[in-house]
Amino acid sequence: MTDIDLTAPAAPAFVRPNLQRQAWEGRAIKNNILTGITWIIAILAAIPLISVIIMLLMQGGSRLFGSDIVEVLTALPPAGFEMGGGIGPAIVGTLVMVAIATVISVPFGIMAAIYLAILGRTSQLATYSRFLAKVLTGFPSILAGVFVYAVLVINFGYSPWAGGLALAVLMLPTVVLAAEEAIAQVPQRMKDAAFGMGCTRTQVIWKVVLPTGLPGILTGVMLAIAGAAGESAPLLFTALFSNYFLESLAPVNNPTASLSILIYNFSGMPFENQIELAWTASLVLVLIVLVFNILARLVGQPKA
Amino acid sequence: MATNPFERAGSSGTITRPPSGGELTTDSVFRGIAYVCAALIVVLTALILWELGKEAMPAISKYGLGFWYGTTWDVNKGVFGVLPEIWGTLYSSLLALLLGGVFGISIAIFLTQDFIHAKLAVVFRTIVELLAAIPSVVYGLWGIYVLIPMIRPGAEWLHQHFGWVPFFSTDLSGPGMAPAALVLAIMILPTVAAISVDAFRRIPYKVKEAAYGMGTTKWEAILKVMLPTASSGILAALVLGFGRALGETMALAMLIGNANQINLSLFAPANTLASLLASSFPEAGGIEVQALMYAALVLLLITFIVNVAGLAVQQYTVRKFEGKA
């Protein structure tokens, strides 16, 4: 047995460590610096968008929101040193070709989505189709133009149909994937209830699945349209360009104007007037794209 | 003997009734159409490959693999090679990825790690999404008249003072690699940010709570816990963003200068496969069209590999977190 040594110094009293974060501690400084950098990066990232919008409004807005708005929207593009002029044929061309692309891609896209989401969800075909649709969304848009050139243009020449088909090739995968997601979100119970009533699969799809999934499908379609309207690469050598209004929908040798190609052509010209029109066309194009983007958000919201 | 399973339901006087023969026929037809449409995607992909291959065949057999490492594109002499374009495509995309990647991931962190109020985050997210909505040609126009004049003084200064660095060895005389890569970075930023945001969202909240519970600061939690956990999703974002950059056409055709040369300098004009197609196709004829088809196939092959790699990584991430088969 050992005696307790009474002469030993008493154990130091327990000192409560300071657990509070110190503002000048290394870790805290590092934390604050990184937070600052993140804020700067976030603000920097917004600058291009703001700059683009300001330039569009300043350079394009003066023509579009001025007294000559009717001329700008309806007149033919000016030649060389000519003043005035407008972007009428290009607006018509863009709208016509996007409409053609929509009419082609949406029915096929929604039917394919129905197969992928309901009829053959786990089948081998669905697996391949879904994968290829995803690959195609990352597909360079100019290759759609090259493809249509090889199929149509070599044989029949430039036409709004060739341009529309090239846009449809780009829209299809977007529509398919968005519609599949919307359709897959329809609750299984609703489908089961319909099946329980003796519906065939077609009736379930037409009367339950499509009406329920419609907002989601429409969102996908609107986004696909917005994307197609802004595309230019696939139109370069399928629709080409024209200085005149589209007179017929003839599928043979019928070059068609579009806003994006007009911007591309006019951007490199040495004339003040053309460059100003390129900005005006950009503003119109961005407004068209924006309208469809906003529509996409509006139709996608559940009804209050 | 086949029996109608709904027969008894039909006779019991309820509101339900068996489907009529016509309805059953419609059903089969409808399902058939849906099947065809789903198959259409596969057919379309095959058709694209087949058509490009068919049109490029004469050029493939004539130039063979030499096309990949040839450095001249001369229509008059009939000599075609795309090495400068492959270089330009990869170089501009890598530069864009470097910049767009850093910005995109930072923005994903900014949006998901409680830096700003959730409602403000929605506003900011919309701004980033709008960046993606602006058409490529508009960026091209903006690049020519805003970006190039803006970066020119800086580029000149760098060239004068650091001309010995290979990246600054030439003057920025107008279009060139730097403005092209900058615009490309802006264009892929939304893709990278959106997919990275998904990657961060997929991390269970408990993981972050556990890190904070250990006494980490916010950035220690982000750098040591969140980023490694989200890494595969972020990798997918980067690879898919890279794929986007490789195929981008119009803005590059307007900004890169379309010069067939291989140069490390950021300020020298260059060319990419997509902008070669855009600038040469409309006026091409005969053998040049075939050579361009070959170039299109090269572009298709490169983007296909990159995209499949990106999708594979993304699939892996989804499985890791959601245990989906």
Side-chain angles (χ1 to χ4, degrees):
Chain A
M1 256 180 103
T2 48
D3 285 321
I4 297 167
D5 183 7
L6 293 174
T7 57
F14 176 70
V15 178
R16 189 182 290 271
N18 188 351
L19 292 175
Q20 207 103 72
R21 181 176 297 165
Q22 305 297 306
W24 298 109
E25 197 183 339
R27 301 165 64 205
I29 293 174
K30 189 177 154 203
N31 190 51
N32 292 342
I33 290 175
L34 285 171
T35 303
I37 293 175
T38 311
W39 270 97
I40 292 170
I41 284 183
I43 292 165
L44 277 180
I47 287 179
L49 182 73
I50 295 167
S51 166
V52 168
I53 291 174
I54 290 176
M55 285 304 285
L56 283 176
L57 290 177
M58 267 172 36
Q59 303 280 329
S62 58
R63 281 290 267 278
L64 191 62
F65 303 129
S67 52
D68 41 4
I69 176 166
V70 178
E71 187 192 352
V72 166
L73 292 181
T74 55
L76 300 178
F81 286 97
E82 211 180 325
M83 290 311 289
I87 54 173
I91 296 178
V92 174
T94 290
L95 293 180
V96 167
M97 284 190 284
V98 170
I100 291 175
T102 309
V103 170
I104 297 174
S105 64
V106 169
F108 285 119
I110 293 179
M111 287 299 280
I114 288 171
Y115 186 82
L116 295 189
I118 298 177
L119 296 174
R121 197 155 47 88
T122 52
S123 67
Q124 211 160 32
L125 175 67
T127 318
Y128 288 138
S129 293
R130 201 175 290 129
F131 177 74
L132 287 177
K134 279 182 190 163
V135 173
L136 282 181
T137 50
F139 175 77
S141 60
I142 192 157
L143 291 183
V146 177
F147 167 65
V148 173
Y149 183 90
V151 176
L152 279 186
V153 178
I154 287 184
N155 302 322
F156 302 103
Y158 307 105
S159 70
W161 292 94
L165 187 66
L167 294 181
V169 170
L170 291 175
M171 282 176 72
L172 185 70
T174 318
V175 174
V176 170
L177 293 176
E180 190 204 347
E181 211 183 313
I183 290 172
Q185 274 171 4
V186 174
Q188 184 62 40
R189 274 182 291 177
M190 291 177 74
K191 286 182 273 180
D192 286 345
F195 280 127
M197 302 283 286
C199 286
T200 61
R201 274 182 269 189
T202 307
Q203 287 168 327
V204 174
I205 289 164
W206 274 107
K207 296 186 176 161
V208 178
V209 174
L210 284 182
T212 319
L214 195 65
I217 296 174
L218 281 179
T219 301
V221 169
M222 293 297 164
L223 286 178
I225 291 177
E231 275 296 349
S232 33
L235 299 179
L236 262 176
F237 34 85
T238 52
L240 210 66
F241 188 71
S242 153
N243 275 326
Y244 303 99
F245 277 99
L246 193 63
E247 277 175 0
S248 70
L249 282 177
V252 178
N253 238 338
N254 187 9
T256 310
S258 58
L259 281 169
S260 45
I261 303 299
L262 180 133
I263 299 168
Y264 178 62
N265 287 347
F266 279 11
S267 70
M269 285 196 178
F271 311 113
E272 201 65 27
N273 186 29
Q274 266 80 348
I275 292 170
E276 215 178 278
L277 269 180
W279 281 106
T280 314
S282 299
L283 181 60
V284 174
L285 186 58
V286 168
L287 285 177
I288 293 176
V289 172
L290 212 59
V291 164
F292 281 105
N293 262 300
I294 293 170
L295 277 178
R297 275 158 220 268
L298 289 183
V299 293
Q301 273 167 3
K303 290 187 190 74
Chain B
M1 199 177 94
T3 53
N4 186 346
F6 298 108
E7 206 168 7
R8 280 179 63 194
S11 59
S12 58
T14 58
I15 55 164
T16 56
R17 63 170 177 78
S20 64
E23 281 165 346
L24 287 174
T25 319
T26 321
D27 185 44
S28 313
V29 172
F30 181 80
R31 281 191 283 142
I33 296 174
Y35 183 85
V36 170
C37 287
L40 190 77
I41 300 170
V42 181
V43 173
L44 178 70
T45 317
L47 202 63
I48 289 174
L49 276 176
W50 165 253
E51 281 293 335
L52 291 190
K54 196 182 75 185
E55 295 296 327
M57 212 52 223
I60 295 176
S61 55
K62 189 167 172 195
Y63 301 108
L65 283 178
F67 189 75
W68 290 70
Y69 52 78
T71 53
T72 31
W73 186 278
D74 193 326
V75 188
N76 299 325
K77 289 186 193 149
V79 183
F80 301 106
V82 287
L83 190 65
E85 281 77 20
I86 295 179
W87 158 260
T89 306
L90 295 178
Y91 192 38
S92 62
S93 302
L94 271 177
L95 288 172
L97 186 67
L98 208 66
L99 207 63
V102 169
F103 272 68
I105 295 168
S106 305
I107 284 167
I109 292 174
F110 184 73
L111 289 179
T112 54
Q113 305 301 316
D114 313 314
F115 280 93
I116 45 175
H117 190 270
K119 277 181 187 160
L120 266 178
V122 172
V123 174
F124 200 85
R125 211 181 164 170
T126 314
I127 292 180
V128 174
E129 279 169 12
L130 280 179
L131 273 178
I134 290 180
S136 176
V137 262
V138 177
Y139 277 123
L141 191 67
W142 178 77
I144 293 177
Y145 293 103
V146 180
L147 188 67
I148 291 180
M150 201 173 77
I151 63 172
R152 220 162 158 180
E156 236 141 68
W157 187 85
L158 279 172
H159 173 60
Q160 271 159 16
H161 292 81
F162 298 95
W164 46 272
V165 180
F167 296 118
F168 310 131
S169 58
T170 58
D171 207 8
L172 183 70
S173 57
M177 184 58 83
L182 276 172
V183 167
L184 208 47
I186 296 170
M187 297 181 73
I188 65 167
L189 191 148
T191 312
V192 176
I195 303 176
S196 302
V197 163
D198 286 343
F200 280 112
R201 291 246 164 94
R202 213 169 274 131
I203 302 175
Y205 195 69
K206 277 186 270 185
V207 173
K208 201 201 287 187
E209 275 180 341
Y212 282 149
M214 300 283 284
T216 63
T217 62
K218 185 185 229 168
W219 273 96
E220 281 166 350
I222 292 170
L223 292 177
K224 292 180 184 161
V225 178
M226 305 304 279
L227 267 178
T229 317
S231 57
S232 58
I234 291 172
L235 183 65
L238 292 177
V239 178
L240 290 174
F242 188 61
R244 255 320 111 84
L246 291 173
E248 184 40 58
T249 313
M250 294 314 278
L252 285 183
M254 292 161 90
L255 293 172
I256 203 160
N258 297 326
N260 284 4
Q261 54 171 352
I262 300 178
N263 199 330
L264 253 185
S265 171
L266 296 175
F267 307 138
N271 208 351
T272 70
L273 285 167
S275 52
L276 172 78
L277 291 172
S279 53
S280 308
F281 226 116
E283 283 124 38
I287 183 74
E288 196 186 7
V289 170
Q290 291 156 2
L292 285 168
M293 290 284 179
Y294 194 178
L297 263 185
V298 173
L299 176 62
L300 182 66
L301 204 69
I302 296 176
T303 46
F304 183 79
I305 293 169
V306 171
N307 276 318
V308 168
L311 287 174
V313 180
Q314 200 175 30
Q315 209 90 347
Y316 165 79
T317 319
V318 173
R319 272 182 211 175
K320 191 169 100 184
F321 285 100
E322 293 174 6
K324 262 190 204 164

